[in-house]
Amino acid sequence: MFWVPKEDFELLCELICNKVGIDKFWPRSYLSDRDRNVGNNAHSNSKVGGLIPSEIKVAITIPIFAGALYLDLAPLFRIVTGHIYKIVEVIHWILVTFEFLLVMWLQDWQ
């Protein structure tokens, strides 16, 4: 329904990671290394759940841009619906990674 080819998705994530930095865009590989250093996936065992890799955040944001409802996406990605509100940062990542004429025009207008 809202699928992107794997190569294009990986390229999108790479572009975003290069633009915003690995300290904000946490790829799955970065979190795996970090959890190994912390010991036995400490974040996943906490009461609030684990850290969500940024690839998952981007994968949730793409269908929302296309008009999907977040209530339909939460069970698909196995996250709590309330966590989708925290994924709004991905919209900022995409806006700073790519140039959108409307956004640039609105910024210049103000």
Side-chain angles (χ1 to χ4, degrees):
M1 180 159 81
F2 301 109
W3 302 112
V4 174
K6 183 179 179 183
E7 298 80 21
D8 293 343
F9 181 76
E10 289 172 350
L11 177 62
L12 173 65
C13 289
E14 183 180 335
L15 290 171
I16 294 171
C17 185
N18 291 340
K19 184 68 174 186
V20 300
I22 200 164
D23 57 324
K24 292 183 183 174
F25 187 93
W26 294 351
R28 182 182 304 262
S29 59
Y30 175 76
L31 291 178
S32 297
D33 293 340
R34 188 171 179 231
D35 285 338
R36 274 191 285 262
N37 293 337
V38 171
N40 195 17
N41 203 353
H43 296 290
S44 297
N45 296 327
S46 70
K47 290 192 296 187
V48 294
L51 299 172
I52 295 179
S54 294
E55 294 97 340
I56 300 295
K57 294 178 181 183
V58 172
I60 292 170
T61 304
I62 291 171
I64 290 174
F65 278 157
L69 297 173
Y70 74 95
L71 294 173
D72 295 334
L73 296 172
L76 181 65
F77 289 97
R78 296 183 181 162
I79 63 170
V80 180
T81 54
H83 192 80
I84 292 183
Y85 296 114
K86 297 178 183 177
I87 296 177
V88 173
E89 67 187 343
V90 177
I91 296 171
H92 174 71
W93 294 347
I94 292 172
L95 290 177
V96 298
T97 302
F98 300 100
E99 294 181 4
F100 294 96
L101 294 176
L102 178 61
V103 174
M104 290 176 10
W105 178 78
L106 289 172
Q107 289 172 343
D108 290 342
W109 183 62
Q110 289 187 17

